Amino acid sequence: MLNGKSSVALGLFVLLFGINQLFLYDTTLTYIIAAVFILMGGFSAWIGYKAYRHHVPYVIKEAEEMSKS
C-alpha cells in the first residue's frame, strides 16, 4: 500500500515538473522532454493509484482482525 502511495506521489511530481517546464522555456527540445515527463508521470501515478486501491481492502481487513485480538 505504501509503495502505491509513493508511486502516486512520484508520478505527480514528475508530471507537474513536466508541466512546469512548458512555462519556463520555449524550445522544441523542452516540449519533447516535457511531453515525456508528463506521460511518464501520469502513467506512474495511474499505476500507483491502481496498486493502492488493490491493497486497501486487505489493509482494512487486517486492521479489523488486529482490533479484535
Side-chain angles (χ1 to χ4, degrees):
M1 186 169 126
L2 291 176
N3 190 15
K5 281 182 168 181
S6 65
S7 182
V8 169
L10 180 63
L12 286 176
F13 174 75
V14 172
L15 182 132
L16 293 174
F17 182 78
I19 292 171
N20 185 39
Q21 291 305 306
L22 293 175
F23 294 109
L24 294 178
Y25 303 107
D26 274 342
T27 64
T28 305
L29 183 62
T30 301
Y31 291 139
I32 294 169
I33 293 173
V36 170
F37 279 5
I38 291 169
L39 291 174
M40 284 179 43
F43 184 72
S44 177
W46 180 60
I47 294 297
Y49 179 72
K50 284 178 58 174
Y52 173 75
R53 294 298 299 161
H54 172 75
H55 291 289
V56 166
Y58 300 115
V59 171
I60 292 171
K61 183 179 176 183
E62 183 179 346
E64 289 172 353
E65 290 176 1
M66 292 294 285
S67 67
K68 288 179 184 176
S69 58

